[in-house]
Amino acid sequence: MFVLELYGNLLLKSPLQFGFKKKLSTSHALYMLRRIVDYYVRNGSPVNVSLLDFRKAFDSVDHATLFQHLLDEGLPVGVVKLLARWYDGTYACVRWGTCLSECFNVTAGVRQGGVLSPVLLNVYVNSVIQRLQLSNCGCVIGAQFLGCIMYADDLVLLSQSVCDLQKMIDICVDEALCLSLKFNVKKSCVLRFGTRYLH
């Protein structure tokens, strides 16, 4: 809570990330999705949508990469060192019936139920949004990039073009590899909206 109070403004990431932010919910993300689709369809353009889900994102956060992202966002070195020390001291063991394994150091993941954990996840996956914004692919209204919407570890990609949508998916896969994350194929799908939705 101390870190959030003092440095929360550095950790509040892209407005395209709706997860774990005050006064925002899935309803806001869905409303934005609906408005973007309606805008394009009303103007005679189809919208191709890909729904992607990061598999076990909270458990897969690489600590070294996370701490580097925090430094890149301007969090003071002392605070990052404190967090690194806190996470470095995380150990676990496995219980099987009445038997316990030896303890081992946990080198990935953010603490379940921790006040700071959702914010750390947002910082960690923000590079996906940044790369998509730089790609020149995806839906745009005016000068505003609206080609992706994120809610925690769920990602929606929006594009007029199927080719651009594929490029965006490729970017996400590449960035996920850099972040040691994987997509849950069973929870991912592609949809098409508009008059040519069957083509």
Side-chain angles (χ1 to χ4, degrees), residues 49-52 132 157 162-175 183 189-190:
V49 177
S50 178
L51 306 169
L52 303 174
L132 290 168
L157 305 177
V162 174
C163 292
D164 280 357
L165 184 65
Q166 183 61 58
K167 289 177 189 174
M168 294 171 77
I169 292 170
D170 292 343
I171 288 167
C172 292
V173 169
D174 183 58
E175 192 60 25
F183 289 106
C189 66
V190 177

Side-chain angles (χ1 to χ4, degrees), residues 131-140 145 164 167-168 171:
R131 284 204 46 200
L132 290 168
Q133 286 176 309
L134 294 172
S135 71
N136 292 321
C137 297
C139 290
V140 176
F145 172 78
D164 280 357
K167 289 177 189 174
M168 294 171 77
I171 288 167

Side-chain angles (χ1 to χ4, degrees), residues 43 102 197:
N43 288 289
E102 290 186 26
Y197 70 95

Side-chain angles (χ1 to χ4, degrees), residues 22-89:
K22 287 182 182 177
K23 301 182 182 177
L24 291 178
S25 69
T26 52
S27 299
H28 295 92
L30 291 171
Y31 177 77
M32 184 172 172
L33 173 63
R34 178 68 188 261
R35 294 302 304 249
I36 295 166
V37 170
D38 285 349
Y39 174 85
Y40 275 89
V41 171
R42 194 172 53 248
N43 288 289
S45 173
V47 180
N48 303 287
V49 177
S50 178
L51 306 169
L52 303 174
D53 174 73
F54 287 107
R55 185 172 55 198
K56 298 185 178 181
F58 277 93
D59 298 329
S60 303
V61 172
D62 177 73
H63 294 164
T65 305
L66 170 63
F67 300 139
Q68 185 57 56
H69 283 198
L70 292 171
L71 290 170
D72 293 345
E73 293 303 326
L75 211 63
V77 174
V79 174
V80 175
K81 283 183 177 180
L82 176 69
L83 290 172
R85 180 72 179 130
W86 186 41
Y87 272 95
D88 187 44

